[in-house]
Amino acid sequence: PIYDPGSADLPPVIHVQGSSPGTVQVYDFPVSNVRFTADVKDDDITIAPDVDFGGGKGTGRVWLTGHGAQQAVRLDYALKGARLGPTAEALEDYSARGSGTTRTEKSSYLTKASDVNVNLTLAAEGPVSNAYALKGRGQAELEGARLSEVPLFGPLSELLPMLTLRFTKMQTD
């Protein structure tokens, strides 16, 4: 039967599932091997995407509510087993595109971070139109033998070589 919006019946739920092998852009953010399910009911969309990113696997849930300029997003997501180098490089590229600049060379940070594993969890919400306006919290865990070679304190690491720390695991909230 065809849904009549004037009836007292509840509107139908639309269920979609799909996948896309290879690299794709989601809101201008590169991920690969996307697999997802989505449920749409009125102005509410719930998406459960699984993606490959930075050499790891991302899983979680995204809720979109409202429509147009008023649309908001809430997400709970985890990235497990990624490599810090490719992850940071993708984030640097994304940030550069968002600010209208271009990244011309790979930073030494990215080169030294290639052998470091990263696990992330993130819970955030805010407007769909601006990823930088999302508010929430997250956790990160970095682990690897070369972690002590990554200049985690940025330019300060080069100015103060005595800050060299020899550790193989870090966790932060």
Side-chain angles (χ1 to χ4, degrees), residues 21-40:
T23 302
V24 297
Q25 300 285 324
V26 177
Y27 288 100
D28 201 30
F29 196 80
V31 294
S32 54
N33 301 321
V34 175
R35 299 147 318 273
F36 72 93
T37 61
D39 292 312
V40 180

Side-chain angles (χ1 to χ4, degrees), residues 5-25:
S7 75
D9 295 334
L10 293 175
V13 173
I14 299 170
H15 179 78
V16 178
Q17 60 187 56
S19 64
S20 179
T23 302
V24 297
Q25 300 285 324

Side-chain angles (χ1 to χ4, degrees), residues 35-86:
R35 299 147 318 273
F36 72 93
T37 61
D39 292 312
V40 180
K41 183 176 180 181
D42 296 330
D43 288 337
D44 296 330
I45 303 170
T46 303
I47 307 167
D50 294 334
V51 300
D52 294 351
F53 177 71
K57 301 283 184 192
T59 60
R61 197 165 297 288
V62 178
W63 296 268
L64 298 165
T65 57
H67 62 279
Q70 302 304 314
Q71 190 173 41
V73 64
R74 180 171 56 99
L75 59 98
D76 287 315
Y77 221 73
L79 177 64
K80 303 289 183 195
R83 308 299 270 167
L84 183 57

Side-chain angles (χ1 to χ4, degrees), residues 155-167:
L156 188 59
S157 296
E158 293 173 19
L159 295 174
L160 301 170
M162 72 286 264
L163 282 179
T164 301
L165 303 172
R166 302 285 182 219
F167 47 86

Side-chain angles (χ1 to χ4, degrees), residues 92 105-114 149-151 158:
E92 277 190 7
E105 63 185 53
K106 189 183 253 190
S107 69
S108 63
Y109 172 86
L110 296 177
T111 303
K112 293 178 180 180
S114 62
E149 298 175 32
V150 178
E158 293 173 19

Side-chain angles (χ1 to χ4, degrees), residues 129-145:
S129 60
N130 184 358
Y132 295 105
L134 295 176
K135 295 186 190 275
R137 64 177 196 252
Q139 295 178 320
E141 177 182 278
L142 306 174
E143 187 170 14

